[in-house]
Amino acid sequence: GVDAEELNIARAKALQMLNRPTILYLMLAQGCNFECTYCPIPGLAKRHGNNLLSFDDAIAGMELWQRHISDYSTDNDPYFLIFYGGEPLLNGEVLENLLGHVERAKDQGDLPQNLELMLCTNGALLDARLAKLFAYHKVTVALGIDGPLQDNNRIRLTGEGMPTFSLIKRAVDFCLQVGVKVVASATITPSNMHRLQEYPAFMKNLGISQFGL
């Protein structure tokens, strides 16, 4: 009796958590200005085009997401809006307009107050002005960094085949100077897997608060 009832309540809560529309990815750009050796995106973009997400389509996606959010009871757990790609900063004007829209939507109660924003970028197009904008809107910047200089530059290249570590480090510095939270992701490949134990100290020295592999 009681045990079965509690089990059913626990199952219902678990199901609601699994179905909760926690994250919205907005793929702002299909293409990328990098050609990392392991990444399929440049090849896909060459076949299908460097398509950019329009502001109107992004808003439509956000409105659909909000309708799904409203189907579930409110709680204190955060929601996440992630600007993704390809390289989302190739669609910088739309990104900047969306940040303003999100601010207004939250003020009007159309988006959750416990909404966290994240930009997944390679950092090459990130400058001091954008860093200040991200600081104002409390955007977490997630940078792709494939380890220390030699590891990164072996596999993470620009579209012209040039090394990228200095570009990424510059983006980190721009963000940290104005208080933007920086996290990172590093891709495991045969060329760096023997040095992964060095990565935590390396990321910490860069000023990166969290990273994933």
Coordinates of all heavy atoms in Angstrom, one line a residue, residues 14-89:
A14 N 10.5 11.4 -11.2 CA 11.6 11.1 -12.1 C 11.2 11.3 -13.6 O 12.0 11.8 -14.3 CB 12.0 9.6 -11.9
L15 N 10.0 10.9 -13.9 CA 9.5 11.1 -15.3 C 9.4 12.6 -15.6 O 9.8 13.0 -16.7 CB 8.2 10.4 -15.5 CG 7.6 10.4 -16.9 CD1 8.6 9.7 -17.9 CD2 6.2 9.7 -16.9
Q16 N 9.0 13.3 -14.7 CA 8.9 14.8 -14.9 C 10.3 15.4 -15.1 O 10.5 16.3 -16.0 CB 8.1 15.5 -13.8 CG 8.0 17.0 -14.0 CD 7.0 17.6 -13.1 OE1 6.0 17.0 -12.7 NE2 7.1 18.9 -12.9
M17 N 11.2 14.9 -14.3 CA 12.6 15.5 -14.5 C 13.2 15.1 -15.8 O 13.8 15.9 -16.5 CB 13.5 14.9 -13.4 CG 13.2 15.5 -12.0 SD 14.2 14.7 -10.7 CE 15.8 15.1 -11.3
L18 N 12.9 13.9 -16.3 CA 13.4 13.4 -17.6 C 12.8 14.2 -18.7 O 13.4 14.5 -19.8 CB 13.2 11.9 -17.8 CG 14.1 11.0 -16.9 CD1 13.6 9.6 -17.0 CD2 15.6 11.2 -17.2
N19 N 11.5 14.5 -18.6 CA 10.8 15.2 -19.6 C 10.9 16.7 -19.6 O 10.5 17.4 -20.5 CB 9.3 14.8 -19.6 CG 9.0 13.4 -20.0 OD1 9.8 12.8 -20.8 ND2 8.0 12.8 -19.5
R20 N 11.4 17.2 -18.5 CA 11.5 18.7 -18.3 C 12.4 19.3 -19.4 O 13.5 18.9 -19.7 CB 12.2 19.0 -17.0 CG 12.3 20.4 -16.6 CD 12.9 20.5 -15.2 NE 13.0 21.9 -14.7 CZ 14.1 22.7 -14.8 NH1 15.1 22.2 -15.5 NH2 14.1 23.9 -14.3
P21 N 11.9 20.3 -20.1 CA 12.6 20.9 -21.3 C 13.7 21.9 -20.8 O 13.6 23.1 -20.9 CB 11.5 21.6 -22.0 CG 10.5 22.0 -21.0 CD 10.5 20.9 -20.0
T22 N 14.8 21.3 -20.3 CA 15.8 22.1 -19.5 C 16.6 22.9 -20.5 O 17.0 24.0 -20.1 CB 16.7 21.1 -18.7 OG1 15.9 20.3 -17.9 CG2 17.7 21.8 -18.0
I23 N 17.0 22.4 -21.6 CA 18.0 23.1 -22.5 C 17.4 23.4 -23.9 O 16.7 22.5 -24.5 CB 19.2 22.2 -22.6 CG1 19.8 21.8 -21.3 CG2 20.3 22.8 -23.5 CD1 20.9 20.8 -21.3
L24 N 17.7 24.6 -24.4 CA 17.4 24.9 -25.8 C 18.7 25.2 -26.4 O 19.5 26.1 -26.0 CB 16.5 26.1 -25.9 CG 16.3 26.6 -27.3 CD1 15.5 25.6 -28.1 CD2 15.5 27.9 -27.3
Y25 N 19.1 24.5 -27.5 CA 20.2 24.8 -28.3 C 19.7 25.6 -29.5 O 18.8 25.2 -30.3 CB 20.9 23.5 -28.9 CG 21.7 22.8 -27.9 CD1 21.1 21.8 -27.1 CD2 23.1 23.0 -27.7 CE1 21.9 21.1 -26.1 CE2 23.8 22.3 -26.8 CZ 23.2 21.4 -26.0 OH 24.0 20.7 -25.1
L26 N 20.3 26.8 -29.8 CA 20.1 27.5 -31.0 C 21.4 27.5 -31.8 O 22.4 28.0 -31.5 CB 19.8 29.0 -30.7 CG 18.4 29.3 -30.0 CD1 18.3 30.8 -29.7 CD2 17.3 28.8 -30.9
M27 N 21.2 26.7 -33.0 CA 22.4 26.6 -33.8 C 22.5 27.8 -34.8 O 21.8 27.8 -35.8 CB 22.3 25.3 -34.6 CG 23.5 24.9 -35.4 SD 23.4 23.3 -36.1 CE 25.0 23.2 -37.0
L28 N 23.3 28.8 -34.4 CA 23.3 30.0 -35.1 C 24.0 30.0 -36.4 O 23.6 30.7 -37.3 CB 24.0 31.1 -34.2 CG 23.3 31.5 -32.9 CD1 24.0 32.6 -32.3 CD2 21.8 31.8 -33.2
A29 N 24.9 29.1 -36.6 CA 25.7 29.0 -37.8 C 26.0 27.5 -38.1 O 26.4 26.8 -37.2 CB 26.9 29.8 -37.8
Q30 N 25.8 27.1 -39.4 CA 26.1 25.7 -39.7 C 27.6 25.5 -40.0 O 28.2 24.5 -39.9 CB 25.3 25.3 -41.0 CG 25.4 23.9 -41.4 CD 24.4 23.5 -42.4 OE1 23.3 23.1 -42.0 NE2 24.7 23.6 -43.6
G31 N 28.3 26.6 -40.5 CA 29.7 26.6 -40.9 C 30.6 27.0 -39.7 O 30.1 27.3 -38.6
C32 N 31.9 26.9 -40.0 CA 32.9 27.2 -39.0 C 34.1 27.8 -39.7 O 34.4 27.4 -40.8 CB 33.3 26.0 -38.2 SG 34.3 26.3 -36.7
N33 N 34.8 28.7 -39.0 CA 36.0 29.3 -39.5 C 37.3 28.5 -39.1 O 38.4 28.9 -39.4 CB 36.2 30.7 -39.1 CG 36.0 30.9 -37.6 OD1 35.5 30.1 -36.9 ND2 36.3 32.1 -37.1
F34 N 37.1 27.4 -38.4 CA 38.1 26.5 -38.0 C 37.9 25.2 -38.8 O 36.8 24.9 -39.3 CB 38.2 26.1 -36.6 CG 38.8 27.1 -35.6 CD1 39.1 28.4 -36.1 CD2 39.2 26.7 -34.4 CE1 39.7 29.3 -35.2 CE2 39.8 27.6 -33.5 CZ 40.1 28.9 -33.9
E35 N 39.0 24.4 -39.0 CA 38.9 23.1 -39.6 C 39.7 22.1 -38.7 O 40.8 21.7 -39.1 CB 39.4 23.1 -41.1 CG 38.4 23.8 -42.0 CD 38.7 23.6 -43.5 OE1 39.5 22.6 -43.8 OE2 38.2 24.3 -44.3
C36 N 39.2 21.8 -37.6 CA 39.9 20.9 -36.7 C 39.9 19.5 -37.3 O 39.0 19.1 -38.0 CB 39.2 20.9 -35.3 SG 39.0 22.5 -34.6
T37 N 41.0 18.8 -37.1 CA 41.3 17.6 -37.9 C 40.2 16.5 -37.6 O 40.0 15.7 -38.5 CB 42.6 17.0 -37.5 OG1 42.7 16.8 -36.1 CG2 43.7 18.0 -37.9
Y38 N 39.5 16.6 -36.5 CA 38.6 15.5 -36.1 C 37.1 15.9 -36.4 O 36.2 15.1 -36.2 CB 38.7 15.2 -34.6 CG 38.7 16.4 -33.7 CD1 37.4 17.0 -33.4 CD2 39.8 17.0 -33.3 CE1 37.4 18.1 -32.6 CE2 39.8 18.1 -32.5 CZ 38.5 18.7 -32.1 OH 38.5 19.8 -31.4
C39 N 36.9 17.1 -36.8 CA 35.5 17.7 -36.8 C 34.8 17.5 -38.2 O 35.4 17.9 -39.2 CB 35.6 19.2 -36.4 SG 33.9 19.9 -36.3
P40 N 33.6 17.1 -38.2 CA 32.9 16.9 -39.5 C 32.2 18.2 -40.0 O 31.7 18.2 -41.1 CB 31.8 15.8 -39.1 CG 31.5 16.1 -37.7 CD 32.8 16.5 -37.1
I41 N 32.1 19.2 -39.1 CA 31.3 20.4 -39.5 C 31.8 21.1 -40.8 O 31.0 21.4 -41.6 CB 31.2 21.3 -38.3 CG1 30.3 20.7 -37.2 CG2 30.7 22.7 -38.7 CD1 30.2 21.6 -36.0
P42 N 33.1 21.3 -41.0 CA 33.5 22.0 -42.2 C 33.1 21.2 -43.5 O 32.6 21.8 -44.4 CB 35.0 22.1 -42.1 CG 35.2 22.1 -40.6 CD 34.2 21.2 -40.0
G43 N 33.2 19.9 -43.4 CA 32.8 19.1 -44.5 C 31.3 19.2 -44.8 O 30.9 19.3 -46.0
L44 N 30.5 19.2 -43.7 CA 29.1 19.3 -43.9 C 28.7 20.6 -44.4 O 27.8 20.7 -45.3 CB 28.4 19.1 -42.5 CG 28.5 17.6 -41.9 CD1 28.0 17.6 -40.5 CD2 27.7 16.7 -42.8
A45 N 29.4 21.7 -44.0 CA 29.1 23.0 -44.4 C 29.4 23.2 -45.9 O 28.7 23.8 -46.7 CB 29.8 24.1 -43.6
K46 N 30.5 22.5 -46.4 CA 30.8 22.6 -47.8 C 29.8 21.9 -48.6 O 29.5 22.3 -49.8 CB 32.2 22.0 -48.0 CG 33.4 22.8 -47.5 CD 34.7 22.1 -47.6 CE 35.8 22.9 -47.0 NZ 37.1 22.2 -47.0
R47 N 29.2 20.9 -48.1 CA 28.1 20.2 -48.9 C 26.8 20.9 -48.8 O 26.1 20.9 -49.8 CB 28.0 18.7 -48.4 CG 29.2 17.8 -48.7 CD 28.8 16.3 -48.6 NE 28.5 16.0 -47.2 CZ 29.4 15.6 -46.3 NH1 30.7 15.5 -46.7 NH2 29.1 15.2 -45.1
H48 N 26.5 21.4 -47.6 CA 25.1 21.9 -47.5 C 25.0 23.5 -47.3 O 24.0 24.0 -47.2 CB 24.5 21.3 -46.2 CG 24.4 19.8 -46.3 ND1 23.6 19.1 -47.2 CD2 25.1 18.9 -45.6 CE1 23.8 17.8 -47.0 NE2 24.7 17.6 -46.1
G49 N 26.2 24.1 -47.2 CA 26.2 25.6 -47.1 C 26.4 26.1 -45.7 O 26.1 25.4 -44.7
N50 N 27.0 27.3 -45.6 CA 27.2 27.9 -44.3 C 26.0 28.7 -43.9 O 25.9 29.9 -43.8 CB 28.4 28.9 -44.4 CG 29.7 28.2 -44.6 OD1 30.0 27.3 -43.9 ND2 30.5 28.7 -45.6
N51 N 24.9 27.9 -43.6 CA 23.6 28.5 -43.3 C 23.6 29.2 -42.0 O 24.2 28.7 -41.0 CB 22.5 27.5 -43.4 CG 22.4 26.9 -44.7 OD1 22.4 27.6 -45.7 ND2 22.2 25.6 -44.8
L52 N 23.0 30.4 -41.9 CA 22.9 31.1 -40.6 C 21.4 31.1 -40.2 O 20.5 31.2 -41.0 CB 23.3 32.6 -40.8 CG 24.8 32.7 -41.3 CD1 25.1 34.2 -41.5 CD2 25.8 32.1 -40.4
L53 N 21.2 31.0 -38.9 CA 19.9 31.1 -38.3 C 19.4 32.5 -38.3 O 20.1 33.4 -37.8 CB 19.9 30.5 -36.9 CG 18.6 30.4 -36.1 CD1 17.7 29.3 -36.8 CD2 18.8 30.1 -34.7
S54 N 18.2 32.7 -38.8 CA 17.6 34.1 -38.8 C 17.1 34.4 -37.4 O 16.8 33.5 -36.6 CB 16.5 34.2 -39.8 OG 15.3 33.5 -39.3
F55 N 17.0 35.7 -37.1 CA 16.5 36.2 -35.9 C 15.0 35.7 -35.7 O 14.7 35.2 -34.6 CB 16.5 37.7 -35.8 CG 16.0 38.3 -34.5 CD1 16.7 38.3 -33.4 CD2 14.7 38.8 -34.5 CE1 16.2 38.8 -32.2 CE2 14.2 39.4 -33.3 CZ 14.9 39.4 -32.2
D56 N 14.2 35.8 -36.7 CA 12.8 35.3 -36.6 C 12.7 33.9 -36.3 O 11.9 33.4 -35.5 CB 12.1 35.7 -37.9 CG 11.8 37.2 -38.1 OD1 11.9 37.9 -37.1 OD2 11.5 37.6 -39.2
D57 N 13.5 33.0 -36.9 CA 13.5 31.6 -36.6 C 14.0 31.3 -35.2 O 13.4 30.4 -34.6 CB 14.3 30.8 -37.7 CG 13.7 30.7 -39.0 OD1 12.5 31.0 -39.1 OD2 14.4 30.4 -40.0
A58 N 15.0 32.0 -34.8 CA 15.4 31.8 -33.4 C 14.3 32.2 -32.4 O 14.1 31.5 -31.4 CB 16.7 32.7 -33.1
I59 N 13.6 33.3 -32.6 CA 12.5 33.7 -31.7 C 11.4 32.6 -31.8 O 10.9 32.3 -30.7 CB 12.0 35.0 -32.2 CG1 13.0 36.1 -32.0 CG2 10.7 35.4 -31.3 CD1 13.6 36.3 -30.6
A60 N 11.1 32.1 -32.9 CA 10.1 31.0 -33.0 C 10.5 29.8 -32.2 O 9.7 29.2 -31.5 CB 9.9 30.7 -34.5
G61 N 11.8 29.5 -32.3 CA 12.2 28.3 -31.5 C 12.1 28.6 -30.0 O 11.7 27.7 -29.2
M62 N 12.5 29.8 -29.6 CA 12.4 30.2 -28.2 C 10.9 30.2 -27.7 O 10.6 29.8 -26.5 CB 13.1 31.5 -27.9 CG 14.6 31.5 -28.1 SD 15.3 33.2 -28.1 CE 14.8 33.8 -26.5
E63 N 10.0 30.7 -28.5 CA 8.6 30.7 -28.1 C 8.1 29.3 -28.0 O 7.3 29.0 -27.1 CB 7.8 31.5 -29.2 CG 8.1 33.0 -29.1 CD 7.4 33.8 -30.2 OE1 6.9 33.1 -31.1 OE2 7.4 35.0 -30.1
L64 N 8.5 28.4 -28.9 CA 8.0 27.0 -28.8 C 8.6 26.4 -27.5 O 7.9 25.7 -26.7 CB 8.5 26.2 -30.0 CG 8.2 24.7 -30.0 CD1 6.7 24.4 -29.9 CD2 8.8 24.0 -31.2
W65 N 9.8 26.7 -27.2 CA 10.5 26.2 -25.9 C 9.7 26.7 -24.7 O 9.4 25.9 -23.8 CB 11.9 26.6 -25.9 CG 12.7 26.1 -24.8 CD1 12.8 24.8 -24.3 CD2 13.6 26.8 -23.9 NE1 13.7 24.7 -23.3 CE2 14.2 25.9 -23.0 CE3 14.0 28.2 -23.9 CZ2 15.2 26.3 -22.1 CZ3 15.0 28.6 -23.0 CH2 15.5 27.6 -22.1
Q66 N 9.4 28.0 -24.7 CA 8.6 28.5 -23.6 C 7.3 27.9 -23.4 O 6.9 27.6 -22.2 CB 8.5 30.0 -23.8 CG 7.6 30.7 -22.7 CD 8.2 30.6 -21.3 OE1 9.4 30.4 -21.2 NE2 7.4 30.7 -20.3
R67 N 6.6 27.5 -24.5 CA 5.3 26.8 -24.3 C 5.5 25.4 -23.7 O 4.7 25.0 -22.8 CB 4.7 26.7 -25.7 CG 4.1 28.0 -26.2 CD 3.1 27.8 -27.3 NE 3.7 27.1 -28.5 CZ 4.2 27.8 -29.5 NH1 4.3 29.2 -29.5 NH2 4.7 27.2 -30.6
H68 N 6.6 24.8 -24.0 CA 6.9 23.5 -23.4 C 7.3 23.7 -21.9 O 6.9 22.9 -21.0 CB 8.1 22.8 -24.1 CG 7.7 22.2 -25.4 ND1 6.7 21.2 -25.5 CD2 8.1 22.4 -26.7 CE1 6.6 20.8 -26.8 NE2 7.4 21.6 -27.5
I69 N 8.0 24.7 -21.6 CA 8.4 25.0 -20.2 C 7.1 25.2 -19.4 O 7.0 24.7 -18.2 CB 9.3 26.3 -20.1 CG1 10.7 25.9 -20.7 CG2 9.4 26.8 -18.7 CD1 11.6 27.1 -20.8
S70 N 6.1 25.9 -19.9 CA 4.9 26.3 -19.2 C 4.1 25.0 -18.9 O 3.2 25.1 -18.1 CB 4.1 27.3 -19.9 OG 3.7 26.8 -21.2
D71 N 4.4 23.9 -19.6 CA 3.6 22.7 -19.3 C 4.1 22.0 -18.0 O 3.4 21.0 -17.6 CB 3.8 21.7 -20.5 CG 3.1 22.1 -21.7 OD1 2.1 22.9 -21.6 OD2 3.5 21.7 -22.8
Y72 N 5.2 22.4 -17.4 CA 5.7 21.8 -16.2 C 5.7 22.8 -15.1 O 5.8 24.0 -15.3 CB 7.1 21.3 -16.5 CG 7.2 20.2 -17.4 CD1 7.1 20.4 -18.8 CD2 7.2 18.8 -17.0 CE1 7.1 19.3 -19.7 CE2 7.2 17.8 -17.9 CZ 7.1 18.0 -19.2 OH 7.1 17.0 -20.1
S73 N 5.5 22.3 -13.9 CA 5.5 23.1 -12.7 C 6.8 23.8 -12.5 O 7.9 23.2 -12.8 CB 5.1 22.3 -11.5 OG 6.1 21.2 -11.3
T74 N 6.8 25.0 -12.0 CA 8.1 25.7 -11.8 C 8.9 25.2 -10.6 O 8.3 24.6 -9.7 CB 7.8 27.2 -11.5 OG1 6.9 27.3 -10.3 CG2 7.1 27.9 -12.7
D75 N 10.2 25.3 -10.7 CA 11.1 24.8 -9.7 C 12.3 25.7 -9.7 O 12.4 26.7 -10.5 CB 11.4 23.3 -9.8 CG 12.0 23.0 -11.2 OD1 12.9 23.8 -11.7 OD2 11.7 22.0 -11.8
N76 N 13.2 25.4 -8.8 CA 14.4 26.3 -8.7 C 15.6 25.8 -9.6 O 16.6 26.5 -9.6 CB 14.9 26.4 -7.2 CG 13.9 27.1 -6.4 OD1 13.3 28.0 -6.8 ND2 13.7 26.6 -5.1
D77 N 15.4 24.7 -10.3 CA 16.5 24.2 -11.1 C 16.6 25.1 -12.3 O 15.6 25.6 -12.9 CB 16.2 22.8 -11.6 CG 16.3 21.8 -10.5 OD1 17.0 22.1 -9.5 OD2 15.7 20.7 -10.6
P78 N 17.9 25.4 -12.8 CA 18.1 26.3 -13.9 C 17.6 25.8 -15.3 O 17.6 24.5 -15.4 CB 19.6 26.6 -13.9 CG 20.2 25.3 -13.3 CD 19.1 24.9 -12.3
Y79 N 17.3 26.7 -16.2 CA 17.2 26.4 -17.6 C 18.4 26.9 -18.3 O 19.1 27.8 -17.8 CB 15.9 27.0 -18.1 CG 14.6 26.4 -17.6 CD1 14.1 26.8 -16.4 CD2 14.0 25.3 -18.3 CE1 12.9 26.3 -15.9 CE2 12.8 24.8 -17.8 CZ 12.3 25.2 -16.6 OH 11.1 24.7 -16.1
F80 N 18.7 26.3 -19.5 CA 19.9 26.7 -20.2 C 19.5 27.0 -21.7 O 18.9 26.2 -22.3 CB 20.9 25.6 -20.2 CG 21.4 25.3 -18.8 CD1 20.8 24.3 -18.0 CD2 22.5 25.9 -18.2 CE1 21.2 24.0 -16.7 CE2 22.9 25.6 -16.9 CZ 22.3 24.7 -16.2
L81 N 20.0 28.2 -22.1 CA 19.9 28.6 -23.5 C 21.3 28.6 -24.0 O 22.1 29.4 -23.6 CB 19.2 29.9 -23.7 CG 19.1 30.5 -25.1 CD1 18.5 29.6 -26.1 CD2 18.4 31.9 -25.0
I82 N 21.6 27.7 -25.0 CA 23.0 27.6 -25.5 C 23.0 28.0 -27.0 O 22.3 27.5 -27.8 CB 23.4 26.1 -25.3 CG1 23.4 25.7 -23.8 CG2 24.8 25.9 -25.9 CD1 23.7 24.3 -23.6
F83 N 23.9 29.0 -27.2 CA 24.2 29.4 -28.6 C 25.3 28.6 -29.2 O 26.4 28.5 -28.7 CB 24.6 30.9 -28.6 CG 23.5 31.8 -27.9 CD1 23.7 32.3 -26.7 CD2 22.3 32.1 -28.6 CE1 22.8 33.2 -26.1 CE2 21.3 32.9 -28.0 CZ 21.6 33.4 -26.8
Y84 N 25.0 27.9 -30.3 CA 25.8 26.8 -30.7 C 26.1 26.9 -32.2 O 25.5 27.8 -32.9 CB 25.0 25.5 -30.4 CG 25.9 24.3 -30.3 CD1 26.7 24.1 -29.2 CD2 25.8 23.2 -31.2 CE1 27.5 23.0 -29.1 CE2 26.5 22.1 -31.1 CZ 27.4 21.9 -30.0 OH 28.2 20.8 -29.9
G85 N 26.9 26.0 -32.7 CA 27.2 26.0 -34.2 C 27.7 24.6 -34.5 O 27.4 23.6 -33.9
G86 N 28.5 24.5 -35.6 CA 29.4 25.5 -36.2 C 29.9 26.5 -35.2 O 30.1 26.3 -34.0
E87 N 30.2 27.7 -35.8 CA 30.8 28.8 -35.0 C 29.7 29.9 -34.9 O 29.4 30.6 -35.9 CB 32.1 29.3 -35.6 CG 32.6 30.6 -35.0 CD 32.6 30.5 -33.5 OE1 33.2 29.6 -32.9 OE2 32.0 31.4 -32.8
P88 N 29.1 30.0 -33.7 CA 27.9 31.0 -33.6 C 28.3 32.4 -33.9 O 27.5 33.2 -34.3 CB 27.4 30.7 -32.2 CG 28.5 30.0 -31.5 CD 29.3 29.3 -32.5
L89 N 29.6 32.8 -33.6 CA 30.0 34.2 -33.8 C 30.1 34.6 -35.3 O 30.2 35.8 -35.6 CB 31.3 34.5 -33.1 CG 31.2 34.5 -31.6 CD1 32.6 34.8 -30.9 CD2 30.2 35.5 -31.0

